[in-house]
Amino acid sequence: MNESAKINIGKVAALKKLREKVSELSDVMKELGEPILDDLALLPAIYEAYKRVFQRRGCPDEATSVRNRKKFLMVVLYLYSPKALAGDRMRMGLRKKVSELFGLTTSTPISDNCAGLIVQYHAYADFRRDVDLIFQEVLNTLEDKLIVTD
């Protein structure tokens, strides 16, 4: 055995420090990823609030367009499954419930529509404006039913 071989305590200390940082980051991720809502029974009220935005504009049929459906999904994911907006899986059962709201027979379009929502929100002012407007309408609708904190 080589007499100059030594245990690298610096390596162990670095690993310990890294472990602590990973634990801290995990706690922050858990906190940031907590959904604002968990009761899926509120989804029909949220959908009605969404449709009201387009009714006020005099174009209720636009609520079912793919582009506008993405705006609804952005709000719903933010409320029920914020981790999904960051690339994690959508909360179990949410995709099916949203599909039903739109009268879809499969949930595949919902999954497809979720891709790139954050990019669209950042890149397109009209998309961002509408999402924020829908979000505000949803909050106004739900204010009597719950306390929403950001």
Side-chain angles (χ1 to χ4, degrees):
M1 186 161 167
N2 186 347
E3 300 258 341
S4 64
K6 297 179 184 176
I7 292 176
N8 185 344
I9 295 298
K11 180 179 177 180
V12 173
L15 283 170
K16 184 178 179 183
K17 208 174 219 179
L18 251 164
R19 189 170 152 205
E20 290 168 359
K21 284 192 182 282
V22 166
S23 179
E24 286 174 26
L25 288 173
S26 179
D27 291 345
V28 170
M29 280 184 60
K30 184 178 178 185
E31 183 181 325
L32 292 174
E34 282 296 314
I36 295 169
L37 298 176
D38 60 4
D39 184 1
L40 293 178
L42 294 171
L43 275 170
I46 293 169
Y47 186 59
E48 289 304 315
Y50 160 75
K51 291 193 308 187
R52 267 194 308 279
V53 170
F54 295 96
Q55 288 168 346
R56 284 191 196 118
R57 289 182 181 170
C59 47
D61 293 340
E62 285 189 23
T64 58
S65 75
V66 173
R67 179 160 170 78
N68 291 325
R69 183 170 59 207
K70 289 179 179 186
K71 296 169 187 175
F72 176 75
L73 284 170
M74 177 86 178
V75 171
V76 167
L77 289 176
Y78 181 78
L79 292 170
Y80 285 97
S81 191
K83 289 179 184 178
L85 291 170
D88 281 358
R89 297 186 68 142
M90 191 182 301
R91 174 192 165 167
M92 191 75 101
L94 183 59
R95 187 181 343 265
K96 183 176 186 281
K97 292 285 188 187
V98 171
S99 297
E100 291 169 359
L101 288 173
F102 282 102
L104 302 172
T105 56
T106 178
S107 59
T108 303
I110 301 305
S111 300
D112 294 345
N113 291 168
C114 289
L117 288 175
I118 294 297
V119 171
Q120 288 183 43
Y121 186 83
H122 285 298
Y124 301 106
D126 63 326
F127 185 87
R128 184 173 47 254
R129 183 196 65 237
D130 284 354
V131 167
D132 291 342
L133 184 65
I134 293 163
F135 184 65
Q136 187 59 55
E137 183 70 26
V138 167
L139 292 182
N140 291 343
T141 298
L142 298 177
E143 71 183 348
D144 293 334
K145 297 178 181 174
L146 54 108
I147 297 171
V148 177
T149 57
D150 197 16

